Amino acid sequence: MTSTPLLEAVGLSKRYGRNLVVDDVSFTVRPGLVTGFLGANGAGKSTTLRLLLGLDAPTRGHATFGGRPYAALDRPLATVGALLEARAVHPGRSARNHLRALARTQRLPEPRVERVLDLVGLRSVADRRAGTFSLGMGQRLGVAAALLGDPRILILDEPVNGLDPEGILWIRNLMRDFARDGRSVLVSSHLMNEMAVTADHLVVLGNGRVLADCSLRDFVAGHDSLEAAFMARTAGTLTYQGGGLR
Amino acid sequence: MTATMTAPAGTSRVPALSDVMAGEWIKLRSLRSTRWTLGATVLLVLGFSSLAVQLYAGRYSHLSASDRVELHEDPISLVLQPGMAWGVISVCVLAALTVTSEYSTGAIRSLMLAVPARRPVILAKAAVISLVTFVLGDVLAFVAFFVSAPVINQHVEMSLSDGWALRAVLGSGVFLAATAVLAFSVAALVRNTAGGITAAVGLVFVAPNAAGFLPGRVGNYVSTYLPGGRAGQMILTSGRDTTHVLGPWAGIIVAVGWAVLALVMATVAVRRRDV
């Protein structure tokens, strides 16, 4: 368990044209912890997550789950559950059929679909077309898809976006329970206060590079808040291109 | 709460191609656009088939001598060709949508997280759409045949015990499936719904007709051999018309060849590109 981390990124880089969006990013995700993936908008968080999951091909470096690249995983949804964007669903398809189709590719039993629908509270609207869902309901459907295979790692990209306070609390508890269960969570966010109450460990990204990889407590030490610590540590890395208002 | 299952013996990796196909089958059945496009195909094929049969065989006494010769040589193409030539439009829309709607909605990423090896994604989609359109094509051809046979048989002998008639009816499914795979592959290369449908319909409906206007034999050759060209429709004929560039078997081989080539190109592109 300690020899092969659940998730390991080694020297990940991604170049789009002349822009190095992700620059030599290495980190590991350990069991039993919520790892916060923190950075400003455009710091390269989402791209890094897409590199981990094989959706984008890295220019350099690699990522492994228990020693194997994502594409080599047997029944990947049983190892990794990912929520990358609120809308990764055909709007004309019902929530239930969306999940049934995914479950079938992994040879998961049909009752598992009903189980995750219950978990995210969408059972009563499961036969409605996903296009009629609110942003929050869409986010819950994304979480249902992530939980479908009963994975060992959850990877969530800005999961609280568009959620109401109740939904935010629900996601937070879900992540805490998941980690307490001995599993891992990697959650990206640019919301400091949310991270401060959710994460145990932080990987901080700025301009595509890892600025810090340490416990939340160590990161905040000497500052009033996570926000203050973040601002102090990332000062100078927030370079916005373009001339501002014209 | 554990969802872990042991895979059946003999299968090493999940998802296997059959698992992805089963998932795609659930997805295809669960969309309204599938019902709309399949319904449109039924109307187009049967509608244009009956129209053509009524306009020619139904007005036999008004036909010119050359039209009568043509009808005697090739009654089955009158039953199948006009309907199938129009039916490919909605088949192209259906085939293109199975891939472009996933790119436009982001659903493709849900799928590729579940099936990270990308070849099965493309092959399973192509397999499901080709099976559906193959069955649809054969069923519609049989229906069109039995609806038209009484009208045709008043003037020309035509029965499924004739090898050429049976070949054309069964070949209709192959023709629709090859067209669907070509349209699907082109759409997978383009990824965008409007662009994918335009490109696919342009290839199988517009280009062969436009090329037909080229002078002399050139037009005939070009409109036959183009991807999505008239080669595939040769399977819908009796094969006794010697003015055709290709016979039924050669024609369908050309059409299937284009479909396979396009599918290979789409698979290579999808494997290389970021999603």
Side-chain angles (χ1 to χ4, degrees):
Chain A
M1 202 70 176
T2 47
S3 54
T4 0
L6 274 176
L7 164 55
E8 182 171 31
V10 182
L12 283 178
S13 298
K14 181 67 174 180
R15 182 182 289 281
Y16 291 114
R18 290 174 53 215
N19 288 338
L20 196 55
V21 181
V22 175
D23 184 3
D24 196 24
V25 167
S26 300
F27 63 92
T28 60
V29 169
R30 284 174 291 155
L33 298 180
V34 175
T35 301
F37 202 36
L38 202 57
N41 287 329
K45 301 187 297 291
S46 295
T47 305
T48 304
L49 297 185
R50 295 159 54 78
L51 296 176
L52 297 177
L53 297 166
L55 292 175
D56 288 4
T59 309
R60 276 191 311 279
H62 64 272
T64 53
F65 294 83
R68 304 168 80 182
Y70 189 83
L73 291 177
D74 191 33
R75 197 183 292 151
L77 297 189
T79 302
V80 186
L83 166 69
L84 292 190
E85 57 206 311
R87 300 283 184 219
V89 184
H90 194 298
R93 190 172 288 123
S94 73
R96 179 174 276 122
N97 281 331
H98 172 67
L99 295 172
R100 281 181 62 224
L102 285 176
R104 182 59 192 82
T105 64
Q106 314 288 297
R107 294 189 197 161
L108 298 169
E110 289 258 335
R112 183 64 196 163
V113 170
E114 304 308 315
R115 176 90 180 96
V116 292
L117 281 168
D118 277 336
L119 274 173
V120 303
L122 287 180
R123 185 78 171 263
S124 61
V125 293
D127 287 322
R128 263 172 58 182
R129 296 189 298 140
T132 68
F133 281 10
S134 68
L135 189 54
M137 289 159 82
Q139 202 78 328
R140 284 169 184 266
L141 179 55
V143 172
L147 293 175
L148 191 60
D150 200 13
R152 289 183 293 150
I153 308 184
L154 266 185
I155 296 182
L156 308 171
D157 194 7
E158 308 277 2
V160 301
N161 269 3
L163 289 183
D164 55 17
E166 189 202 350
I168 292 174
L169 188 64
W170 172 73
I171 283 267
R172 191 188 301 158
N173 288 334
L174 182 100
M175 292 190 285
R176 304 282 344 153
D177 291 347
F178 203 82
R180 196 173 302 135
D181 208 27
R183 299 188 270 188
S184 309
V185 179
L186 176 64
V187 53
S188 87
S189 185
H190 58 268
L191 304 172
M192 301 299 145
N193 295 334
E194 188 50 39
M195 274 290 140
V197 293
T198 313
D200 309 295
H201 192 88
L202 288 181
V203 174
V204 183
L205 218 57
N207 269 352
R209 301 188 67 94
V210 175
L211 301 177
D213 181 352
C214 59
S215 71
L216 177 74
R217 190 175 305 146
D218 288 350
F219 188 78
V220 179
H223 298 276
D224 293 338
S225 65
L226 174 59
E227 193 167 36
F230 180 80
M231 289 308 171
R233 299 270 201 122
T234 60
T237 68
L238 304 174
T239 54
Y240 291 100
Q241 266 128 31
L245 294 172
R246 259 191 265 194
Chain B
M1 154 115 176
T2 177
T4 317
M5 293 162 65
T6 43
T11 46
S12 48
R13 279 285 295 278
V14 178
L17 183 63
S18 56
D19 298 318
V20 190
M21 283 176 67
E24 287 303 309
W25 174 239
I26 292 173
K27 284 159 70 178
L28 190 67
R29 277 186 311 166
S30 60
L31 286 182
R32 285 183 194 171
S33 60
T34 306
R35 272 164 271 165
W36 281 109
T37 47
L38 290 180
T41 309
V42 171
L43 290 179
L44 284 170
V45 171
L46 298 183
F48 277 96
S49 171
S50 340
L51 190 67
V53 169
Q54 288 305 328
L55 284 181
Y56 278 82
R59 296 173 59 254
Y60 190 80
S61 53
H62 301 280
L63 290 185
S64 68
S66 66
D67 280 350
R68 287 185 188 187
V69 170
E70 209 177 310
L71 186 62
H72 280 267
E73 268 185 351
D74 197 357
I76 193 68
S77 82
L78 181 66
V79 177
L80 298 177
Q81 220 172 351
M84 291 294 165
W86 284 93
V88 289
I89 298 178
S90 47
V91 164
C92 282
V93 172
L94 173 66
L97 278 178
T98 60
V99 56
T100 61
S101 72
E102 299 225 335
Y103 276 104
S104 65
T105 59
I108 192 77
R109 282 179 282 279
S110 297
L111 176 58
M112 287 193 177
L113 287 175
V115 191
R118 297 183 185 176
R119 197 173 2 217
V121 169
I122 287 299
L123 294 186
K125 282 179 174 294
V128 168
I129 198 72
S130 60
L131 285 174
V132 168
T133 50
F134 171 76
V135 171
L136 178 72
D138 270 9
V139 168
L140 289 180
F142 272 107
V143 172
F145 183 89
F146 286 114
V147 167
S148 303
V151 184
I152 302 249
N153 280 332
Q154 289 171 11
H155 316 287
V156 187
E157 282 297 314
M158 182 184 79
S159 128
L160 283 182
S161 56
D162 298 319
W164 48 268
L166 189 62
R167 176 185 62 207
V169 168
L170 291 176
S172 297
V174 182
F175 167 68
L176 274 200
T179 308
V181 170
L182 179 74
F184 164 81
S185 306
V186 168
L189 286 165
V190 177
R191 287 189 280 190
N192 161 285
T193 296
I197 291 176
T198 307
V201 173
L203 272 183
V204 308
F205 195 75
V206 181
N209 291 312
F213 290 117
L214 290 171
R217 293 286 281 173
V218 178
N220 212 350
Y221 271 91
V222 173
S223 69
T224 299
Y225 278 106
L226 276 177
R230 288 184 179 143
Q233 294 184 25
M234 294 303 116
I235 197 76
L236 311 174
T237 70
S238 71
R240 285 182 288 200
D241 183 341
T242 49
T243 62
H244 291 316
V245 176
L246 291 173
W249 291 117
I252 200 66
I253 287 169
V254 168
V256 170
W258 277 121
V260 170
L261 182 67
L263 185 61
V264 168
M265 288 169 63
T267 309
V268 170
V270 168
R271 278 165 61 87
R272 282 190 186 163
R273 290 191 296 220
D274 291 344
V275 229

